[in-house]
Each structure stands twice: as C-alpha cells, then as structure tokens.
C-alpha cells in the first residue's frame, strides 16, 4: 500500500489493526483505551527491597525466555546497565528469545549486537539505534523487524498495551532501600529520568539499579517506590561524562552560526514571536546555536520566553538564569550543565516522556509549542526529513522527539547545511522518512531558505520581513550541481525495521541492504 507520503508499505505489515500513515491529523479525536498500569499484586511489607545481585533480582521478578525487558537512555553513551542486564540474562540465567524495548540504543550497547547474531535477542523496539546494533539490524540479522518509535510514540504504545514490558530495568543515580529513585545526588548523575516513568508505571516488574544507595526516603522521587520490586547496588551504572555528544556542543563554525541567526530572524518574523512564547531546540550544532541569537531578538522587543521543553542543554539553562525564560520543563538532559541545574535552579522542572510528547494523552507539551528548531540528516523536495538512516542506508540515528515536536508546534524550522562532505542534504527523496513533510514548515540551509508551500502564511511573514527564500527544488538542484546525484541504494525485499509515525501508523520501512561492507 502507498501511504500518505508516497512510501510503499508491504501489505503483510497491515494486519491486526495496523494502518499506513494517513497524515498528521488522521488520529485526532479518536478514542484510545489505556491499559491498567502494572499487574496488581498484594505485597507483604518489607524493610528493604535491596537484593545482592542483578541475577537474584531478575529471578525474583519472574525473568523468563521470551520476555520483553525495557531500559532508558538518560546516561546515553555512558550507560553500563543495558550490558550488565543482558550479561546476567544470557550468561547467568541462560534465557533466550529476548525483546529489548529501550528508549534508545547507542554505541555503548555494542555488545547487544553479538546477542542478536547469536539469536538470543530476537526483537528491538527503540527510538534510537546506532553503532553495531544498527549495523547488524541493517544486515537483517535480527529475527523480527525492529520497531522504531518517537519519544511520544513509545509511551503511547506502552499505555495502550501495544508494548507489554515484563521487566523494566532502570538505571538510577540515587535510590533508597525501597526504590524511590532520582537522577541526581550520586556519582553518576544524569538529571531528568523522564523516559523511565512510563516503564515504571506499566511494567509487570521494576528493578532499580543504582551505584549510590541513599537514606530513605529519597524525595522527591522521579520513580516512586510503589512501582519498584527490587533494588540492586552495583559499582557503577555509567559514565556521566559521556552524556554529552559532540553534536551537543555549541558551535563556532561561521556557517552554522549564519544558519542559526537566520532561523532566529525567521522566528522573529512570525506572529508567534511574542511575550510568553514557547520553544524547543535540538542539540545539533547549528540548531543549538539558535539560542544565542534569540536573546538579542527578545531584548529588542522586550519579551521573554514563557517556557522551554525537551532535551535541555546548558545554553537554555543560562537563559533561564538570565531571566529570559520563565520555566524549563525537562524530559532529558544533554550535558552536565543541564544535569547540574535540574531540581536545583528555580524554574527547572522534570516531566515524563508521556507528558512531553504522547499524542494520545490529554495535553502533551509538544502540542502547545510555538517553535521548534530541529536538525536533519536529509530533507527531500517534499519536506520529508530523515534522522535515522545514513546515506548508505545503515541505521545510525534516532527520531527521538523530532516527529512529535514537528507535528505539534506552530512553526517547525529545520536547520541543516546543504551538503555534508560529498553528500547532498537536500535531495529528491530521503532514504527513510522519520518526520513527514506535512509537519515541516521551513528549511534553513547555508545556501538559502525554503518554506513549505503548505504554509502560505509563513511565506507572507518572510516576505514582509524582507527575508529572501527559494523553492526547495532550487536548493536540491544546487546541491546536485555541486556533488552530483547519489548512486541509488540497493535493497532486498526483507524488512529489517518499521518506522512508526507518532500515532502508531506506519510511516516507512527500512529494508535489508544488499551485501555491504561493514567496517
């Protein structure tokens, strides 16, 4: 079946109520039944839930072959807990046929690739899929297609029962003996634990893994003891220095700064740029740099930002401390400055991923956004965006909150260079669609600005402000004049990954690559 954005979705995937993507508003107003949180059990009172080892905790929590285990990724490339848990499940307990339902998987989790090769991990459900895990899935070595969901799509799927978590294994910088845990106060602080909250509420069993046991009660908790079955103390849950990636650092590249300044000028040209406006920015260099150009625009008009959301970096915390932003509502921290701010800086608060971006709840923050600034690996002439697969077709990225914020905001601006090396970023057709073009409003490149024809109101705003813009086809042709059109990728028929839209419909699929050299 050809879906709303022209992607061919195999018929065998459209069963048991699954549908192809039919536009960003297709599911609006439909009723979604929420499953009951957790299996209800009558528990005997205990003085402590601390157990000696992860193996014993898994045994107490009915670990079994064929189960689904979940993890969060707040420690990002510094996470140790996924690998510790997988080693215990396979090496100590000898289980098999495990599905991993993680908020994201990165290079820190490369050992999982070998378990996929061995057929021990048979399913992956995640937002991010990078490193060796992305390579083996792209090669077709996972027994079932990986399911890629946005950060809002994941809690939606958990809450409505599409994903059933047998055991949630949560890395916690601090926890008390009963399981109240927080993202601060230990030696492995990660800040917000917003991605862990739905898992804790809906999993059959919850194991908290910490390297800092603190006195009871550890309040106010991100995950409450009432949802926790066992607490395990280990030497280290991760390396917080690896939370920040190179992409999350403030750029000094003149090209990036030019694009960031143009994005800020576009924001200022719209009617949404007024006192109390709301905002989110991505963590790519040029998108993050927009923050530094917003302050002069705000000061010139004597306005301030009402609230900012999302993955938070130091630059947004600095704006909060300067009084330019009233509140930061935070689901994930992208650098240590943000980690050190949450719960300590007045006005900096934590929220769950469901509060952040779930399209099926009654008030996701993304649906109240005025602006979002996002990056892209590719954008095509239909404004579709790819942030998942590289130009070689290998899974090496993450939709994250990209599709959620693009769909929910009044003005979605993509900031990306026209070229990366010898590859065109603006192209005729992206390798994989992760954010559909009907959710994208403006594309800012170092060669020009393009406005989606679906937004004639924004065209008029830019014209009135004297901001030049060109058709996106012009940008594509300009890119191809410089680097030529890319050679087409060669795919087999097998589907290795399903990309869900945030509403659960199928946006795109990733097929198995024909024989390819993975270095």
């Amino acid at each position: 079946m050809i879906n709303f954005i022209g992607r061919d979705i195999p018929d065998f995937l459209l069963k048991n109520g699954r549908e192809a993507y039919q536009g960003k508003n297709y599911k609006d107003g439909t009723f979604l039944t929420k499953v009951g949180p957790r299996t209800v059990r009558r528990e005997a009172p205990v003085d402590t839930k601390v157990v000696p080892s992860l193996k014993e905790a898994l045994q107490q929590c009915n670990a079994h072959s064929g189960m689904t285990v979940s993890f969060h990724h707040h420690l990002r490339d510094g996470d140790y807990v996924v690998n510790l848990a997988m080693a215990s499940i396979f090496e100590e307990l000898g289980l098999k046929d495990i599905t991993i339902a993680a908020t994201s998987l990165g290079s820190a989790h490369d050992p999982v690739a070998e378990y996929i090769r061995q057929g021990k991990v048979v399913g992956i459900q995640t937002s991010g899929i990078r490193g060796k895990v992305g390579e083996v899935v792209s090669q077709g070595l996972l027994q079932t297609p990986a399911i890629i969901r946005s950060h809002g799509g994941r809690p939606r799927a958990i809450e409505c029962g599409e994903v059933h978590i047998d055991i949630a294994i949560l890395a916690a910088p601090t926890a008390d003996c009963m399981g109240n845990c927080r993202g601060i106060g230990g030696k492995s602080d990660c800040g917000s634990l917003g991605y862990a909250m739905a898992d804790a509420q809906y999993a059959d069993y919850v194991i908290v893994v910490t390297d800092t046991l603190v006195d009871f009660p550890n309040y106010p908790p991100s995950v409450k003891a009432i949802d926790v079955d066992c607490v395990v103390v280990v030497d280290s849950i991760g390396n917080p220095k690896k939370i920040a990636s190179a992409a999350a650092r403030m750029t000094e590249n003149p090209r990036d700064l030019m694009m960031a300044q143009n994005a800020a000028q576009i924001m200022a040209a719209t009617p949404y740029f007024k006192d109390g406006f709301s905002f989110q920015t991505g963590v790519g260099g040029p998108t993050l740099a927009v923050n530094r150009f917003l302050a002069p625009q705000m000061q010139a008009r004597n306005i301030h930002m009402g609230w900012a959301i999302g993955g938070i970096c130091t630059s947004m915390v600095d704006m909060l401390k300067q009084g330019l932003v009233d509140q930061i509502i935070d689901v994930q921290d992208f650098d240590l400055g943000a980690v050190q701010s949450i719960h300590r800086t007045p006005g900096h608060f934590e929220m769950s991923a469901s509060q952040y971006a779930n399209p099926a709840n009654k008030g996701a923050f993304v649906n109240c956004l005025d602006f979002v600034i996002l990056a892209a690996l590719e954008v095509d002439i239909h404004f579709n965006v790819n942030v998942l697969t590289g130009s070689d077709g290998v899974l090496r990225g993450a939709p994250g909150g990209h599709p959620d914020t693009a769909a929910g905001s009044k003005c979605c601006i993509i900031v990306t260079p026209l070229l990366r090396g010898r590859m065109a970023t603006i192209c005729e057709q992206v390798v994989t669609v992760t954010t559909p073009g009907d959710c994208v409003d403006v594309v800012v490149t170092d060669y020009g600005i393009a406005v989606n024809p679906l937004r004639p109101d924004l065209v008029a705003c830019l014209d009135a402000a004297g901001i030049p813009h060109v058709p996106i086809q012009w940008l594509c042709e300009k890119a191809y004049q410089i680097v030529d059109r890319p050679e087409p990728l060669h795919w087999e028929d097998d589907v290795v990954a399903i990309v869900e839209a945030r509403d659960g419909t199928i946006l795109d699929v990733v097929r198995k690559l024909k024989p390819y050299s993975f270095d």
Side-chain angles (χ1 to χ4, degrees), residues 379-508:
V379 185
D380 68 24
I381 57 175
H382 304 292
F383 288 83
N384 297 311
V385 177
N386 171 26
V387 291
L388 179 64
T389 47
S391 58
D392 55 1
V394 178
L395 291 157
R396 56 174 92 254
H402 200 292
D404 302 301
T405 53
S409 63
K410 296 181 179 70
C411 182
C412 168
I413 302 173
I414 306 294
V415 180
T416 184
L418 188 72
L419 311 169
R420 283 193 178 88
R422 297 295 301 170
M423 300 304 299
T425 302
I426 309 299
C427 57
E428 288 180 331
Q429 187 176 66
V430 295
V431 174
T432 307
V433 178
T434 49
T435 297
D438 60 335
C439 300
V440 174
D441 301 311
V442 183
V443 175
V444 177
T445 76
D446 46 342
Y447 280 78
I449 297 164
V451 183
N452 194 325
L454 295 174
R455 294 300 304 270
D457 57 323
L458 293 181
V459 171
C461 288
L462 268 62
D463 288 343
I467 299 174
H469 53 92
V470 297
I472 198 167
Q473 292 84 352
W474 185 92
L475 292 174
C476 177
E477 288 303 317
K478 183 66 176 179
Y480 289 159
Q481 287 172 15
I482 300 171
V483 297
D484 295 328
R485 283 171 169 76
E487 291 294 323
L489 295 171
H490 299 287
W491 310 95
E492 297 186 6
D493 291 335
D494 294 346
V495 173
V496 300
I498 299 166
V499 182
E500 284 191 359
R502 63 193 300 253
D503 63 7
T505 58
I506 300 179
L507 188 64
D508 207 347

Side-chain angles (χ1 to χ4, degrees), residues 342-363:
I342 192 169
H343 303 305
R344 296 182 176 99
T345 303
H348 190 168
F349 305 106
E350 181 180 38
M351 69 172 163
S352 71
S354 187
Q355 288 174 293
Y356 169 55
N358 181 351
N361 69 21
K362 299 177 183 180

Side-chain angles (χ1 to χ4, degrees), residues 24-267:
K24 70 175 183 178
N25 302 123
Y26 172 62
K27 291 284 189 178
D28 287 359
T30 58
F31 185 81
L32 184 68
T33 301
K34 185 180 289 188
V35 300
R38 290 184 52 90
T39 299
V40 177
R41 298 187 301 275
R42 187 176 296 278
E43 302 284 0
V46 295
D47 294 327
T48 181
K49 297 177 185 174
V50 177
V51 296
S53 68
L54 192 50
K55 175 185 177 182
E56 185 169 331
L58 287 163
Q59 289 173 324
Q60 287 190 23
C61 292
N62 192 33
H64 58 277
S65 294
M67 69 177 176
T68 295
V69 292
S70 76
F71 303 91
H72 69 79
H73 74 293
H74 286 287
L75 283 159
R76 295 169 62 79
D77 279 342
D79 175 66
Y80 297 164
V81 171
V82 170
N83 296 337
L84 287 172
M86 290 295 101
S88 186
I89 287 169
F90 296 126
E91 314 300 333
E92 295 184 297
L93 296 179
L95 303 181
K96 60 183 180 179
D97 299 336
I98 301 300
T99 293
I100 296 175
T103 55
S104 193
L105 295 169
S107 59
H109 311 120
D110 282 352
V112 171
E114 186 56 32
Y115 294 129
I116 294 173
R117 291 181 187 275
Q118 295 170 5
K120 295 178 178 179
V121 171
V122 297
I124 296 285
Q125 301 192 28
T126 184
S127 177
I129 185 165
R130 300 177 173 89
K132 291 183 180 179
V133 175
E135 292 180 2
V136 297
V137 172
S138 297
Q139 290 174 305
L141 299 181
L142 187 67
Q143 292 184 22
T144 59
I147 299 177
I148 312 298
R149 295 187 176 95
S150 70
H151 284 329
R154 182 177 188 272
R156 177 203 56 78
I158 291 171
E159 291 175 11
C160 73
E162 289 177 18
V163 178
H164 177 81
I165 300 169
D166 293 288
I167 304 177
I169 303 173
L170 308 182
T174 60
D176 62 31
C177 63
M178 299 302 289
N180 295 300
C181 58
R182 306 178 74 196
I184 63 169
K187 60 185 179 181
S188 305
D189 288 7
C190 63
S192 174
L193 288 179
Y195 292 136
M197 294 176 184
D199 302 51
Q201 290 177 322
Y202 284 83
D204 286 349
Y205 296 89
V206 176
I207 299 171
V208 167
V209 182
T210 187
D211 53 18
T212 304
L213 194 67
V214 298
D215 291 340
F216 177 88
N218 186 24
Y219 256 62
S222 301
V223 170
K224 301 177 180 67
I226 58 174
D227 291 322
V228 176
D229 296 277
C230 296
V231 177
V232 179
V233 182
V234 298
D235 291 336
S236 179
I237 62 169
N239 180 0
K241 292 181 180 178
K242 293 187 177 181
I243 290 175
S245 66
R249 299 187 181 100
M250 188 63 75
T251 182
E252 295 299 334
N253 184 306
R255 179 191 66 177
D256 292 348
L257 295 177
M258 176 192 70
M259 292 188 291
Q261 186 173 25
N262 287 341
Q265 290 174 345
I266 291 167
M267 290 176 59

Side-chain angles (χ1 to χ4, degrees), residues 271-290:
Y272 317 123
F273 193 70
K274 58 187 177 182
D275 197 45
F277 74 93
S278 54
F279 178 65
Q280 177 175 332
T281 185
V283 295
T287 55
L288 187 59
V290 172

